[in-house]
Amino acid sequence: LNVSQHEVKRILDEFHRSKEYKSIQPLEGSQNAIQQLQKKHALHLVTGAAPFVAEEIRAWTENHFPNAFTDVHFAQSYDSTVVLPSKVQICRSLNASIIVDDSLDFAIPCAQAGIKVILMHKRWNEQPKKKDAELGIRRVNWWPEALQQVERLTQASRSRY
């Protein structure tokens, strides 16, 4: 698009401060799934959103998922002007064994690092699914399926010990 990093930051900042951003609703089934997961797991939100919109991200999250997440962590994303840890590094520092994401760009490194990945199927990550199977990435279409996969994965890991 030939847009400077400064212009991208300005556009994102403007969007995250807008009433449109504040009116975005969570994905169908996500609130119930997160509520169920938080009963059994310590949940952390690991996002590729830019840290300069941290206040807005935290406010939106707390509004729609009150007290659900232990913390919000900002990972390296597409902004090359800010150096942050990768999602893999953050997951390792948290001893996280499972990540739910909607980006194949983040899912693949996590899976390669041995983190179990549940990938929300979206039009922007529709690569051939053969690679998913090779890496152990589990695709789901909506949050109730993600909840089921987390339960299966945690049960499977508990039965090994």
Side-chain angles (χ1 to χ4, degrees):
L1 293 173
N2 200 20
V3 179
S4 72
Q5 287 289 334
H6 177 74
E7 184 65 7
V8 169
K9 285 181 183 180
R10 187 195 63 73
I11 292 167
L12 286 174
D13 188 46
E14 186 177 302
F15 171 68
H16 282 97
R17 295 180 197 282
S18 72
K19 63 182 178 192
E20 288 81 9
Y21 174 75
K22 291 174 181 140
S23 69
I24 293 174
Q25 295 301 303
L27 292 174
E28 181 182 345
S30 62
Q31 290 170 303
N32 181 58
I34 294 297
Q35 189 176 47
Q36 296 304 313
L37 288 169
Q38 81 178 100
K39 291 176 183 176
K40 298 178 185 177
H41 308 280
L43 303 181
H44 290 263
L45 179 61
V46 181
T47 178
F52 64 87
V53 293
E55 185 179 318
E56 290 80 6
I57 298 288
R58 285 188 170 100
W60 186 92
T61 302
E62 192 57 31
N63 183 43
H64 294 289
F65 301 95
N67 303 313
F69 297 98
T70 302
D71 203 355
V72 178
H73 308 270
F74 293 86
Q76 187 65 48
S77 186
Y78 305 102
D79 182 357
S80 61
T81 64
V82 178
V83 178
L84 296 167
S86 69
K87 285 194 178 186
V88 170
Q89 291 168 320
I90 293 170
C91 287
R92 284 183 174 160
S93 74
L94 297 169
N95 289 324
S97 58
I98 301 171
I99 187 168
V100 179
D101 210 306
D102 68 352
S103 170
L104 202 56
D105 292 340
F106 294 124
I108 290 172
C110 287
Q112 290 170 332
I115 300 162
K116 295 173 182 77
V117 176
I118 299 167
L119 182 65
M120 300 299 281
H121 183 75
K122 301 292 180 190
R123 70 180 182 281
W124 55 83
N125 65 32
E126 291 182 340
Q127 80 155 35
K129 295 171 186 61
K130 181 178 183 231
K131 193 168 190 170
D132 293 358
E134 292 169 3
L135 292 170
I137 295 173
R138 293 147 184 89
R139 281 186 184 258
V140 297
N141 292 305
W142 64 319
W143 272 97
E145 286 179 273
L147 176 61
Q148 290 174 340
Q149 285 294 327
V150 170
E151 290 173 352
R152 285 185 191 130
L153 290 168
T154 54
Q155 286 173 355
S157 67
R158 282 186 197 127
S159 67
R160 289 189 192 130
Y161 300 104

